[in-house]
Amino acid sequence: MAVRIEPRGPEIRQQFLARMAETFDAAAVARKDRCWDWLFHPPLGPDAPRVQVLSAWHGDQLAGGAIHGVTAYWIDGRRRYFRTPYGTNIDPKIRGLGISLIRAFYADSGIGLPIGDQLARVNEKFGARNAARVQMFAPLRAGSAVARRRPAAAPLAAFGNALWSAWRGIAARHGPRLARGESIADADAFGAEHDAFWRQAAANHRFIQIRDAAFMRWRFREMPLQRYDVLQLRRDGELRGYVAVGHAIDPARGTGQVTDILTVDDDPRELALLLRAALRRLHALGAEVAAFGCVATPALTEAARLAGFSRSKPTRPAQVFFSDPTEMQRIDGILPHLYLTRADQDEDY
């Protein structure tokens, strides 16, 4: 029996989650269940494509599918919409189902993260282009991190943390510090001031997801799975940038996440000031290690070094595809300018 691919709406929630439960662990299914309604209502306006479930049917049975989110990007001064797949899952017993689903996905322009190396290679065969991503780490409680890996060292954890805290304080004196007229504080609300900031930042970024006030409210205030703190940098009262950190701390690794960061013009000093503020907040939240995942730009890499991120590792690439052949012809010119952080991904949900 042939498999047919059909776009569906949020009404197939229970069927999709039941199918997902056959290939994902229970925690992942529960997260998609909790954020289902949120995923289907991004603040993109009436002209945007609708979020849908790209579903594969074998007779009257759902054999697999992917939630196709919609994200708005700013590319060379123009708004463009991309499809982003979340929770892709298939019945492995049906031969060729995965390829059929991927082919259907490439009918639209898309951006996303492959769930594994094999899928990344398949996407590349269909024409997707890669932007390399890294995960950077900053130890916050070095003694606790060592004790987690070597339980015998647990009695010395508090002493190690005290030494590490003293060392970080000394090292901070040699990095960028807030100047007269500069301040970093928690964001209150997102409105006209943030939209004005976003317009300034957009003028300096060729390829970036739109981070206007509506996006900020949706992503960091309405997201149902965890709380976020958004810290804003100001100079003489003017909003210059922000950093967002999640409250969730990975219980297995003690890791907290820097979720997003943006400044008007990618000045490494301003980015480093914000990253340092994020590290202080994550330390207060109990994290042992801070992690920051992004498509590494020279400014972000330099800022992370100045802020105290001491190691990094490559991770799955971001993959981009335009359904329009004309757009694909210029992708090599714009892909090096992609600005992407954890806030642009589905790793939080």
Side-chain angles (χ1 to χ4, degrees):
M1 182 181 297
V3 173
R4 66 185 189 279
I5 308 295
E6 298 177 356
R8 294 290 183 91
E11 72 279 354
I12 68 166
R13 175 180 193 158
Q14 296 307 320
Q15 290 169 285
F16 182 88
L17 293 174
R19 171 57 62 192
M20 189 177 175
E22 297 181 11
T23 52
F24 286 81
D25 61 43
V29 177
R31 291 172 73 82
K32 284 297 182 290
D33 189 21
R34 286 184 62 193
C35 70
W36 185 273
D37 293 334
W38 175 79
L39 278 172
F40 277 84
H41 294 92
L44 300 178
D47 62 323
R50 303 185 75 172
V51 178
Q52 61 189 19
V53 179
L54 190 63
S55 56
W57 297 86
H58 193 241
D60 60 354
Q61 298 296 313
L62 181 66
I67 303 170
H68 267 199
V70 180
T71 53
Y73 272 76
W74 193 253
I75 304 178
D76 287 337
R78 180 186 171 198
R79 178 188 287 257
R80 292 292 305 270
Y81 294 108
F82 282 90
R83 292 284 186 187
T84 304
Y86 305 131
T88 303
N89 63 101
I90 61 171
D91 185 339
K93 299 187 296 296
I94 302 178
R95 185 178 180 85
L97 175 57
I99 295 297
S100 298
L101 196 61
I102 291 172
R103 281 178 177 153
F105 170 70
Y106 282 102
D108 289 300
S109 297
I111 185 169
L113 307 180
I115 58 177
D117 292 339
Q118 183 178 10
L119 185 58
R121 289 191 293 270
V122 172
N123 288 339
E124 289 166 9
K125 289 182 180 180
F126 279 89
R129 299 296 180 90
N130 292 340
R133 291 170 56 247
V134 297
Q135 187 91 328
M136 297 183 275
F137 302 93
L140 303 177
R141 289 179 168 85
S144 297
V146 171
R148 184 181 291 274
R149 295 191 300 270
R150 299 179 180 177
L156 299 176
F159 179 67
N161 288 342
L163 286 179
W164 186 253
S165 180
W167 169 251
R168 286 181 62 228
I170 294 171
R173 296 178 183 178
H174 300 285
R177 303 171 72 178
L178 290 172
R180 184 184 297 274
E182 292 181 330
S183 64
I184 295 178
D186 286 89
D188 182 14
F190 301 108
E193 181 193 36
H194 184 89
D195 279 336
F197 157 78
W198 160 248
R199 287 191 292 270
Q200 285 184 283
N204 294 308
H205 292 84
R206 289 188 61 187
F207 190 1
I208 183 172
Q209 185 172 353
I210 292 176
R211 288 162 159 79
D212 57 13
F215 170 83
M216 297 295 288
R217 291 191 295 269
W218 176 79
R219 183 64 178 83
F220 297 118
R221 296 293 188 248
E222 300 169 9
M223 198 273 197
L225 295 181
Q226 70 163 309
R227 291 177 56 197
Y228 298 89
D229 291 341
V230 178
L231 308 175
Q232 295 176 326
L233 170 65
R234 295 181 183 276
R235 181 180 301 132
D236 298 326
E238 178 191 2
L239 180 57
R240 293 291 303 172
Y242 73 85
V243 64
V245 298
H247 279 219
I249 307 299
D250 183 347
R253 298 180 176 87
T255 303
Q257 296 288 339
V258 178
T259 305
D260 194 24
I261 188 170
L262 182 66
T263 61
V264 168
D265 53 8
D266 277 356
D267 176 67
R269 176 184 171 275
E270 293 181 343
L271 289 165
L273 288 172
L274 285 164
L275 285 174
R276 280 191 167 178
L279 297 188
R280 291 192 294 271
R281 183 58 56 87
L282 286 171
H283 185 273
L285 289 168
E288 297 168 14
V289 178
F292 174 44
C294 65
V295 168
T297 66
L300 288 174
T301 302
E302 173 66 8
R305 183 189 66 79
L306 292 172
F309 286 82
S310 57
R311 61 188 179 91
S312 65
K313 68 174 183 179
T315 185
R316 293 169 295 153
Q319 296 191 310
V320 181
F321 176 82
F322 289 99
S323 56
D324 183 345
T326 303
E327 297 281 6
M328 281 299 293
Q329 290 178 2
R330 70 186 190 100
I331 195 170
D332 290 336
I334 63 172
L335 195 56
H337 302 278
L338 173 63
Y339 190 95
L340 184 141
T341 71
R342 191 180 181 94
D344 305 313
Q345 308 160 29
D346 71 332
E347 291 179 332
D348 283 2
Y349 44 91

